[in-house]
Amino acid sequence: MAERSFAKEVEDLKLGDGQEFRGEGILAITKALLQSGVGYVAGYQGAPISHLMDVLADGQEILEELGVHFETSASEAAAAATLAASVMYPIRGAATFKSTVGTNVASDALANLASGGVTGGALIIVGEDYGEGSSIMQERSHAFAMKSQIWLLDPKPDLESIVAAVETGFELSEASNTPVMLEVRIRACHVRGSFRAKDNRRPGMSLVEALESPRRDANRIVLPPASYVHEKEKIEKRWPAAVKFIQERRMNEHVPGDIGEIGIILQGGMYNGVMRALQGLGLADIWGTSRIPLYVLNVTYPLVPDEVVEFCRGKRAVLLVEEGQPDYIEQALNKILRQAAVPTVLAGKDPFPMAGEYTAAVMAEAIGTFARQWIPNVLAPEVRASNAAPALDEKHVKGLAEAVPPRPPGFCTGCPERPIFAAMKLVEREMGPHHVAADIGCHLFSIMPPFNIGSTTMGYGLGPASASAFNVKAGKRAISVMGDGGFWHNGLTSGIGNAVFNKSDGVVLIVDNHYTSATGGQDLLSSRARNRTRSTQHAITTAVKGMGVEWVRHIDRTYDVRRVRDTLKEALTSRDAGPKVIVASSECMLNRQRRERPLFAKAAKAGQRLVRQRFGVDEDVCTGDHACIRLSGCPSLSVKHTADPLKDDPVAAIDNSCVGCGNCGEVAEAAVLCPSFYRADIIVNPTGWDRAVERLRTAVIGFLQRRRARRQLRLA
């Protein structure tokens, strides 16, 4: 099993009332769920909330003692659908996944859940992956919350606020019969801190009790005429109940300040960045005391009009810090202020950029601009005269670009997916380019140099579906790629099933890493290892054949570039009708190294004889052609200058990060490039026999070298 172990962290879930809990934000959320009396949790892994799933998986014994059911779902839709248990029964449940991609997948289930409403508290924990570090499209969860009327929490990125958001989120859901979405940004997930723990609580009603005493309320089922009533109920009952609860429980925070003529309204998740910017302007200290009054929206939807009016009244201007676009909150605040006839000027997307991540530098510049406009006399002279975060001029930017080469994302050292795309490049050289539909996962890096393979990506497991438009008679076939995670998530039905049903003639390449490599190594149905809580070892080829695919090939070692190349050529030229499916399997090298290196180090320390393979390049043989690099791109494969005066170009070289996968040599052999690659076996804790063989080899080589030197001397 490749999943990271959280056995040590899981012990902290047992902490009781008054004890100090220390750790990451994502671990604090897990503890908060148990303190809140959650009855069940389901989810699908994805940054930045993957570890929430991993911790719960390792904490099965604790969950069983409390009567909490945990399940790793097949997709975000499956996870969201489990919240149906909170519709009829007073059971608290939580679902978690990566947003916004996960929210998109779960949208049907969530829309139905929000329409009928809930009896028990329903909490949707979404990892908000927005900004430069994100791997997905730049969208916000806010739009979905507004669309389906799901209350949206965006707590301050500190552990006490995050834990409070979980606990009050369940209460808000129950008070308003509405599901609640808890938005945790990347920094909130990984922020470290502490909070005073509480005792874990058993669910008020267990799932077993619900099964034995079933309930039914037709008014909560999304079916006419009830579905028409739901919309009125949302506005007339649930919304006012939510606003009342938020106001009474003071979920939003007011930070006083002595400069009362202006103020700042901010999303809770922006709090740390805003405070850092204010410190740089001399308007706050490191303890969180601000001279400018702050209104912190730990609940960004719905807004509380009375609180907004109370905060803004009497102020000349208020700045809104709302990350991302469209400016949903700014539009809503403008409406509230105009309806209440409050003349306060509202600034938002004028000092701030409309789109993009609000980093510390962006906040410092925007808040500094706002402060210099409205309170210039309060600022120190040096702050008043210039921006708090001066931008680099064009000259410096150009110089930086010349000094630091661009570093596009790429495959890890030894990645088993690299030889697949090297083989595709070899096929392309022979048969010409093909339309390649890419998919979400590590294999998407194939669109970057040196491979430059892939035309589109439409969603997780939708690679084959996106190629279905090209199911026409032509001289070439479309190729689509998806990973094992995407296959089990969505691709089996929308990709393979759709291709069989429509008699597609395309080629589908399924990359099997033995688990979901991109999200942290979680097990899948097709994982090779045995999992104590889940069923694994279900072959992808069996599922594909069960769907009706007749042309199926399985490659169990992707590093065999020649075989991958030949199989792909066979698929592209076969006269057989129907989709052609290739399953290319090799374990993720990153997770393999994480598993094997500690075991290797332990065995070496114990004195066991071990052999480790490394590859190298004979610089006397290498011509400096560098075709191996163009067909590999491995980070461990580089170049170096040689002392040979007859060689102008640098030769290839392999650095110490090599993991011995052999891909570079395989590519060279398959492409018939050069024989300069060699493999060396490094022996750790050699035996007496190993040392004797080494002495003999050294003596023979030394004799041959000396004889050659004497011969060259005579010829000279």
Side-chain angles (χ1 to χ4, degrees):
M1 186 166 62
E3 295 171 345
R4 176 183 165 187
S5 174
F6 285 87
K8 181 179 179 182
E9 289 85 347
V10 161
E11 291 301 310
D12 290 339
L13 299 179
K14 300 177 182 178
L15 294 177
D17 190 40
Q19 292 182 288
E20 186 179 38
F21 185 103
R22 286 186 170 274
E24 281 189 326
I26 203 71
L27 300 174
I29 293 174
T30 314
K31 172 60 175 167
L33 289 171
L34 301 182
Q35 294 180 174
S36 301
V38 71
Y40 63 95
V41 184
Y44 190 84
Q45 61 273 358
I49 54 85
S50 292
H51 291 343
L52 175 57
M53 306 292 298
D54 297 337
V55 171
L56 288 168
D58 284 343
Q60 288 281 13
E61 292 183 6
I62 300 174
L63 301 183
E64 289 172 3
E65 290 176 5
L66 294 170
V68 179
H69 173 67
F70 165 69
E71 189 168 291
T72 300
S73 305
S75 69
E76 296 87 351
T82 63
L83 294 174
S86 296
V87 172
M88 300 296 176
Y89 306 96
I91 305 174
R92 290 183 171 181
T96 181
F97 37 77
K98 176 189 182 80
S99 190
T100 56
V101 286
T103 311
N104 291 339
V105 175
S107 59
D108 200 11
L110 293 179
N112 279 277
L113 182 74
S115 181
V118 295
T119 302
L123 192 66
I124 306 144
I125 304 168
V126 295
E128 190 77 350
D129 194 4
Y130 182 89
E132 279 190 22
S134 171
S135 61
I136 62 169
M137 73 290 289
Q138 296 297 278
E139 292 185 356
R140 300 166 59 191
S141 301
H142 199 103
F144 191 92
M146 293 173 63
K147 177 189 79 69
S148 292
Q149 194 167 306
I150 295 175
W151 314 138
L152 181 62
L153 310 186
D154 186 5
K156 293 194 305 185
D158 66 72
L159 265 55
E160 289 185 353
S161 298
I162 293 170
V163 170
V166 173
E167 295 173 340
T168 55
F170 279 120
E171 296 176 25
L172 172 61
S173 176
E174 291 163 347
S176 59
N177 302 119
T178 302
V180 170
M181 186 178 290
L182 174 62
E183 175 185 65
V184 281
R185 302 164 187 269
I186 294 176
R187 289 177 177 82
C189 286
H190 300 301
V191 68
R192 301 191 67 85
S194 65
F195 68 94
R196 291 294 168 186
K198 299 177 184 176
D199 291 333
N200 295 331
R201 290 168 47 192
R202 295 184 64 85
M205 174 185 249
S206 70
L207 294 167
V208 174
E209 291 172 328
L211 279 173
E212 293 176 348
S213 303
R215 302 180 185 182
R216 178 177 176 277
D217 181 359
N219 292 324
R220 292 208 180 276
I221 301 174
V222 186
L223 185 72
S227 56
Y228 304 132
V229 178
H230 293 163
E231 186 176 16
K232 291 191 66 178
E233 184 180 320
K234 282 182 177 181
I235 301 302
E236 295 176 359
K237 294 182 180 180
R238 300 184 204 169
W239 191 308
V243 171
K244 180 182 178 183
F245 181 91
I246 295 165
Q247 203 165 9
E248 290 179 350
R249 295 296 296 271
R250 298 182 179 179
M251 294 183 69
N252 296 320
E253 299 178 50
H254 294 266
V255 179
D258 62 284
I259 307 175
E261 57 187 302
I262 64 170
I264 299 177
I265 300 176
L266 61 143
Q267 296 165 301
M270 298 286 101
Y271 179 80
N272 289 357
V274 169
M275 292 304 298
R276 177 69 67 183
L278 291 174
Q279 288 174 34
L281 294 167
L283 298 173
D285 60 27
I286 61 173
W287 309 109
T289 302
S290 171
R291 295 197 61 192
I292 299 177
L294 307 178
Y295 177 38
V296 185
L297 296 173
N298 291 317
V299 184
T300 53
Y301 181 79
L303 298 174
V304 181
D306 290 348
E307 290 184 355
V308 173
V309 171
E310 180 185 354
F311 180 79
C312 294
R313 181 167 282 134
K315 292 181 172 57
R316 295 168 57 209
V318 168
L319 174 65
L320 171 65
V321 183
E322 177 184 12
E323 186 178 57
Q325 56 85 29
D327 50 352
Y328 299 117
I329 300 176
E330 186 171 349
Q331 293 178 36
L333 291 182
N334 269 311
K335 179 182 177 182
I336 291 171
L337 295 177
R338 299 298 82 82
Q339 286 182 335
V342 176
T344 303
V345 174
L346 179 65
K349 295 298 185 182
D350 31 3
F352 277 102
M354 175 60 81
E357 183 179 2
Y358 285 0
T359 61
V362 171
M363 287 194 192
E365 185 173 351
I367 295 175
T369 299
F370 176 77
R372 279 187 290 275
Q373 178 181 357
W374 294 99
I375 52 169
N377 296 331
V378 177
L379 300 174
E382 63 273 13
V383 176
R384 193 186 316 152
S386 62
N387 288 338
L392 291 172
D393 59 34
E394 188 176 345
K395 178 182 177 182
H396 286 112
V397 172
K398 185 177 180 181
L400 188 64
E402 291 175 351
V404 181
R407 186 186 178 190
F411 297 105
C412 300
T413 300
C415 176
E417 299 184 11
R418 180 178 286 106
I420 295 174
F421 296 103
M424 291 180 72
K425 292 297 288 186
L426 294 174
V427 172
E428 181 181 284
R429 187 177 66 179
E430 184 176 341
M431 302 180 64
H434 289 71
H435 174 81
V436 179
D439 206 323
I440 302 299
C442 296
H443 40 83
L444 187 57
F445 292 138
S446 65
I447 68 171
M448 307 300 291
F451 302 113
N452 302 304
I453 292 175
S455 302
T456 57
T457 176
M458 296 303 294
Y460 199 30
L462 291 176
S466 68
S468 60
F470 296 95
N471 185 23
V472 295
K473 291 188 180 299
K476 292 182 179 180
R477 288 172 176 152
I479 303 172
S480 56
V481 181
M482 67 176 164
D484 45 0
F487 172 81
W488 292 114
H489 177 275
N490 196 12
L492 179 59
T493 53
S494 66
I496 303 300
N498 184 69
V500 171
F501 183 70
N502 289 291
K503 298 183 178 181
S504 170
D505 194 40
V507 177
V508 179
L509 178 61
I510 302 173
V511 182
D512 174 19
N513 292 318
H514 299 187
Y515 24 73
T516 56
S517 304
T519 60
Q522 290 80 13
D523 278 332
L524 296 162
L525 279 161
S526 54
S527 293
R528 307 296 177 90
R530 293 188 181 276
N531 190 302
R532 63 187 179 88
T533 60
R534 279 160 268 174
S535 179
T536 55
Q537 302 186 27
H538 301 280
I540 293 176
T541 51
T542 303
V544 168
K545 291 175 182 177
M547 267 292 185
V549 180
E550 297 180 359
W551 198 103
V552 181
R553 301 290 185 271
H554 184 214
I555 301 171
D556 206 43
R557 181 176 174 273
T558 62
Y559 297 104
D560 189 345
V561 178
R562 185 188 298 273
R563 185 181 175 195
V564 177
R565 179 198 62 187
D566 293 345
T567 305
L568 186 57
K569 284 173 59 179
E570 181 189 357
L572 291 170
T573 57
S574 173
R575 294 184 178 181
D576 294 340
K580 289 82 180 164
V581 176
I582 303 171
V583 181
S585 302
S586 273
E587 183 180 7
C588 167
M589 183 58 73
L590 185 62
N591 280 306
R592 179 180 173 182
Q593 291 296 314
R594 285 172 177 165
R595 184 183 72 251
E596 291 184 350
R597 278 179 176 172
L599 299 177
F600 189 96
K602 183 178 180 181
K605 188 176 181 180
Q608 295 184 29
R609 179 186 182 276
L610 301 168
V611 179
R612 181 164 57 92
Q613 293 182 346
R614 285 288 305 278
F615 284 78
V617 176
D618 188 337
E619 62 181 73
D620 292 333
V621 179
C622 178
T623 63
D625 175 71
H626 303 154
C628 53
I629 296 176
R630 293 195 297 273
L631 283 172
S632 171
C634 179
S636 69
L637 193 57
S638 186
V639 294
K640 72 173 184 179
H641 289 285
T642 175
D644 191 339
L646 299 179
K647 293 182 179 179
D648 295 328
D649 297 324
V651 296
I654 298 177
D655 64 27
N656 288 330
S657 66
C658 173
V659 296
C661 71
N663 176 55
C664 48
E666 291 277 0
V667 170
E669 181 183 353
V672 195
L673 296 175
C674 72
S676 60
F677 288 93
Y678 66 84
R679 191 191 78 187
D681 291 339
I682 301 174
I683 301 176
V684 180
N685 298 321
T687 63
W689 172 253
D690 292 324
R691 296 183 186 279
V693 171
E694 191 271 338
R695 286 194 295 270
L696 177 61
R697 287 173 174 168
T698 301
V700 172
I701 293 172
F703 168 75
L704 295 175
Q705 287 176 333
R706 289 190 297 272
R707 189 178 70 174
R708 179 187 179 190
R710 288 194 298 269
R711 185 176 300 171
Q712 289 177 334
L713 185 62
R714 286 197 303 270
L715 293 175

